[in-house]
Amino acid sequence: MTSPQASPHQLDQVVQSSLVSVSRDRIILHADITPGASIASGFFAAIDTDGDGSVSAAEGMSWARRWSGKVRTEVDGRRLELVADSATVPDAGSLASGSAIIRLSFSSAWQGSDGRHVFLMTNDNDPQLSVYLVNAALPGAGVSIVRQERDASQQVYSLVYEVQSPRSVPQQISSWLLIGA
Protein backbone atom coordinates (compact mmCIF):
# COMPACT_ATOMS: atom_id res chain seq x y z
CA MET A 1 0.00 0.00 0.00
CA THR A 2 1.38 3.41 -0.95
CA SER A 3 0.68 6.57 0.94
CA PRO A 4 -0.43 9.75 -0.83
CA GLN A 5 2.20 12.40 -1.44
CA ALA A 6 2.27 15.04 1.29
CA SER A 7 1.61 18.64 0.37
CA PRO A 8 2.46 21.68 2.52
CA HIS A 9 -1.08 23.07 2.07
CA GLN A 10 -3.98 23.16 -0.35
CA LEU A 11 -3.07 24.15 -3.90
CA ASP A 12 -5.73 26.88 -4.00
CA GLN A 13 -5.08 28.46 -0.59
CA VAL A 14 -2.67 31.00 0.85
CA VAL A 15 -1.04 30.35 4.21
CA GLN A 16 -0.44 33.63 6.05
CA SER A 17 1.69 33.09 9.12
CA SER A 18 2.41 36.09 11.36
CA LEU A 19 4.75 36.46 14.31
CA VAL A 20 4.32 39.48 16.60
CA SER A 21 7.14 40.81 18.80
CA VAL A 22 6.41 43.42 21.45
CA SER A 23 8.94 45.46 23.36
CA ARG A 24 8.93 48.59 25.45
CA ASP A 25 9.26 50.87 22.41
CA ARG A 26 8.46 48.87 19.29
CA ILE A 27 6.08 46.38 17.73
CA ILE A 28 7.56 44.09 15.06
CA LEU A 29 5.48 41.96 12.73
CA HIS A 30 6.95 39.22 10.55
CA ALA A 31 4.63 37.73 7.93
CA ASP A 32 5.32 34.62 5.86
CA ILE A 33 2.97 34.31 2.88
CA THR A 34 2.84 30.96 1.04
CA PRO A 35 0.47 30.89 -1.95
CA GLY A 36 -0.57 27.45 -3.20
CA ALA A 37 0.70 26.25 -6.57
CA SER A 38 -2.56 26.88 -8.44
CA ILE A 39 -2.72 30.55 -7.40
CA ALA A 40 0.98 31.43 -7.10
CA SER A 41 1.26 32.86 -10.61
CA GLY A 42 -1.45 35.43 -9.79
CA PHE A 43 0.44 36.46 -6.66
CA PHE A 44 3.67 36.80 -8.61
CA ALA A 45 1.96 38.89 -11.31
CA ALA A 46 0.52 41.22 -8.64
CA ILE A 47 4.00 41.77 -7.19
CA ASP A 48 5.90 41.97 -10.54
CA THR A 49 4.10 45.14 -11.59
CA ASP A 50 6.33 45.86 -14.59
CA GLY A 51 5.81 42.31 -15.92
CA ASP A 52 9.50 41.66 -16.60
CA GLY A 53 9.46 38.23 -14.91
CA SER A 54 11.47 39.25 -11.85
CA VAL A 55 10.64 41.13 -8.68
CA SER A 56 12.82 44.13 -7.91
CA ALA A 57 13.42 45.31 -4.36
CA ALA A 58 11.12 48.30 -5.04
CA GLU A 59 8.32 46.02 -6.31
CA GLY A 60 8.69 43.76 -3.27
CA MET A 61 8.52 46.69 -0.86
CA SER A 62 5.56 48.19 -2.72
CA TRP A 63 3.66 44.90 -2.42
CA ALA A 64 4.59 44.70 1.30
CA ARG A 65 3.04 48.15 1.80
CA ARG A 66 -0.12 47.06 -0.06
CA TRP A 67 -0.29 43.92 2.12
CA SER A 68 0.11 45.93 5.33
CA GLY A 69 -2.63 48.30 4.15
CA LYS A 70 -5.08 45.45 4.74
CA VAL A 71 -3.76 44.72 8.21
CA ARG A 72 -5.10 46.82 11.06
CA THR A 73 -2.91 47.02 14.15
CA GLU A 74 -3.47 48.94 17.34
CA VAL A 75 -2.31 49.12 20.93
CA ASP A 76 -4.78 50.15 23.61
CA GLY A 77 -7.21 51.34 20.93
CA ARG A 78 -4.65 53.60 19.18
CA ARG A 79 -3.90 52.77 15.56
CA LEU A 80 -0.32 51.75 14.73
CA GLU A 81 1.11 52.43 11.30
CA LEU A 82 3.25 49.55 10.12
CA VAL A 83 6.43 50.53 8.27
CA ALA A 84 7.69 47.98 5.74
CA ASP A 85 11.26 47.08 6.70
CA SER A 86 11.93 44.25 4.25
CA ALA A 87 10.34 42.04 1.62
CA THR A 88 11.83 38.87 0.18
CA VAL A 89 9.98 37.42 -2.81
CA PRO A 90 11.06 34.11 -4.39
CA ASP A 91 11.40 33.87 -8.17
CA ALA A 92 8.35 32.87 -10.24
CA GLY A 93 9.49 29.26 -10.67
CA SER A 94 10.01 28.72 -6.95
CA LEU A 95 6.73 30.41 -6.07
CA ALA A 96 4.89 28.20 -8.58
CA SER A 97 5.91 25.13 -6.54
CA GLY A 98 3.44 26.12 -3.83
CA SER A 99 6.06 25.81 -1.10
CA ALA A 100 8.10 29.00 -1.53
CA ILE A 101 7.57 31.71 1.06
CA ILE A 102 7.19 35.46 0.61
CA ARG A 103 8.76 37.00 3.73
CA LEU A 104 7.69 40.43 4.93
CA SER A 105 8.87 42.39 7.95
CA PHE A 106 7.28 45.50 9.49
CA SER A 107 7.79 47.64 12.55
CA SER A 108 6.03 50.41 14.37
CA ALA A 109 7.52 52.67 17.01
CA TRP A 110 5.42 52.74 20.15
CA GLN A 111 6.28 54.30 23.46
CA GLY A 112 4.30 52.44 26.05
CA SER A 113 3.90 53.16 29.69
CA ASP A 114 4.35 50.62 32.44
CA GLY A 115 1.41 48.30 32.96
CA ARG A 116 -0.91 46.13 30.93
CA HIS A 117 -1.51 46.73 27.22
CA VAL A 118 -3.57 45.14 24.46
CA PHE A 119 -2.23 44.68 20.93
CA LEU A 120 -4.95 43.94 18.35
CA MET A 121 -4.38 42.81 14.76
CA THR A 122 -6.91 42.14 12.02
CA ASN A 123 -5.64 40.68 8.74
CA ASP A 124 -8.02 41.29 5.81
CA ASN A 125 -5.68 40.05 3.06
CA ASP A 126 -7.39 37.53 0.75
CA PRO A 127 -9.87 36.14 3.29
CA GLN A 128 -11.58 33.90 0.71
CA LEU A 129 -8.31 32.11 -0.08
CA SER A 130 -6.35 32.30 3.17
CA VAL A 131 -5.55 30.19 6.15
CA TYR A 132 -4.17 32.38 8.93
CA LEU A 133 -1.75 31.55 11.73
CA VAL A 134 -0.56 34.08 14.30
CA ASN A 135 1.56 33.90 17.42
CA ALA A 136 3.69 36.06 19.70
CA ALA A 137 7.45 35.81 19.99
CA LEU A 138 8.94 35.43 23.44
CA PRO A 139 9.51 39.03 24.63
CA GLY A 140 12.71 40.45 26.06
CA ALA A 141 13.39 41.86 29.52
CA GLY A 142 10.70 44.05 30.99
CA VAL A 143 7.83 42.65 28.92
CA SER A 144 5.69 39.62 29.71
CA ILE A 145 2.87 37.96 27.79
CA VAL A 146 -0.37 37.73 29.78
CA ARG A 147 -2.53 35.97 27.18
CA GLN A 148 -3.25 35.56 23.48
CA GLU A 149 -6.70 35.29 21.92
CA ARG A 150 -7.68 34.50 18.33
CA ASP A 151 -10.93 34.14 16.46
CA ALA A 152 -11.61 30.73 14.87
CA SER A 153 -9.86 31.67 11.61
CA GLN A 154 -6.99 33.53 13.37
CA GLN A 155 -7.76 36.51 11.17
CA VAL A 156 -8.32 38.57 14.34
CA TYR A 157 -5.68 38.35 17.06
CA SER A 158 -5.35 39.93 20.49
CA LEU A 159 -2.22 39.94 22.62
CA VAL A 160 -2.36 41.15 26.22
CA TYR A 161 1.07 41.96 27.61
CA GLU A 162 2.61 43.79 30.52
CA VAL A 163 5.49 46.27 30.53
CA GLN A 164 7.60 46.76 33.66
CA SER A 165 9.76 49.79 34.28
CA PRO A 166 13.48 49.14 33.80
CA ARG A 167 14.17 49.72 37.48
CA SER A 168 11.68 46.97 38.49
CA VAL A 169 13.19 44.39 36.13
CA PRO A 170 15.68 42.16 37.99
CA GLN A 171 19.26 42.89 37.03
CA GLN A 172 20.62 39.40 36.32
CA ILE A 173 23.78 40.61 34.63
CA SER A 174 25.52 41.43 37.89
CA SER A 175 24.76 37.95 39.29
CA TRP A 176 26.05 36.38 36.08
CA LEU A 177 29.30 38.31 36.51
CA LEU A 178 29.67 37.09 40.12
CA ILE A 179 29.07 33.48 39.09
CA GLY A 180 31.63 33.70 36.32
CA ALA A 181 34.26 35.37 38.52
Side-chain angles (χ1 to χ4, degrees), residues 84-140:
D85 295 324
S86 67
T88 304
V89 181
D91 62 71
S94 298
L95 207 57
S97 73
S99 60
I101 300 170
I102 301 167
R103 296 188 187 279
L104 309 175
S105 183
F106 306 90
S107 62
S108 183
W110 177 78
Q111 191 57 47
S113 59
D114 291 351
R116 193 166 281 198
H117 301 281
V118 179
F119 170 82
L120 181 64
M121 180 176 99
T122 304
N123 184 346
D124 286 326
N125 281 286
D126 302 302
Q128 311 84 342
L129 301 173
S130 294
V131 175
Y132 303 93
L133 303 168
V134 63
N135 209 349
L138 190 61

Side-chain angles (χ1 to χ4, degrees), residues 3-170:
S3 61
Q5 184 175 353
S7 174
H9 59 90
Q10 297 293 320
L11 297 175
D12 61 351
Q13 290 181 331
V14 181
V15 175
Q16 297 194 40
S17 176
S18 300
L19 183 65
V20 178
S21 298
V22 293
S23 69
R24 188 169 232 348
D25 62 353
R26 181 166 301 283
I27 305 288
I28 298 173
L29 174 65
H30 295 286
D32 288 349
I33 316 298
T34 310
S38 66
I39 58 175
S41 63
F43 267 78
F44 191 82
I47 300 169
D48 179 23
T49 55
D50 65 9
D52 70 353
S54 66
V55 173
S56 68
E59 287 172 320
M61 291 300 283
S62 176
W63 190 79
R65 286 188 290 277
R66 288 194 310 269
W67 185 89
S68 70
K70 294 183 179 181
V71 175
R72 179 171 176 83
T73 55
E74 60 183 58
V75 173
D76 299 336
R78 293 180 309 204
R79 178 82 188 245
L80 294 177
E81 293 302 321
L82 294 174
V83 175
D85 295 324
S86 67
T88 304
V89 181
D91 62 71
S94 298
L95 207 57
S97 73
S99 60
I101 300 170
I102 301 167
R103 296 188 187 279
L104 309 175
S105 183
F106 306 90
S107 62
S108 183
W110 177 78
Q111 191 57 47
S113 59
D114 291 351
R116 193 166 281 198
H117 301 281
V118 179
F119 170 82
L120 181 64
M121 180 176 99
T122 304
N123 184 346
D124 286 326
N125 281 286
D126 302 302
Q128 311 84 342
L129 301 173
S130 294
V131 175
Y132 303 93
L133 303 168
V134 63
N135 209 349
L138 190 61
V143 178
S144 58
I145 303 295
V146 176
R147 74 177 171 278
Q148 300 178 78
E149 297 174 356
R150 304 159 182 87
D151 69 350
S153 69
Q154 295 195 38
Q155 196 173 353
V156 178
Y157 171 74
S158 174
L159 171 65
V160 179
Y161 64 100
E162 195 148 325
V163 175
Q164 299 173 8
S165 76
R167 60 188 168 279
S168 67
V169 175

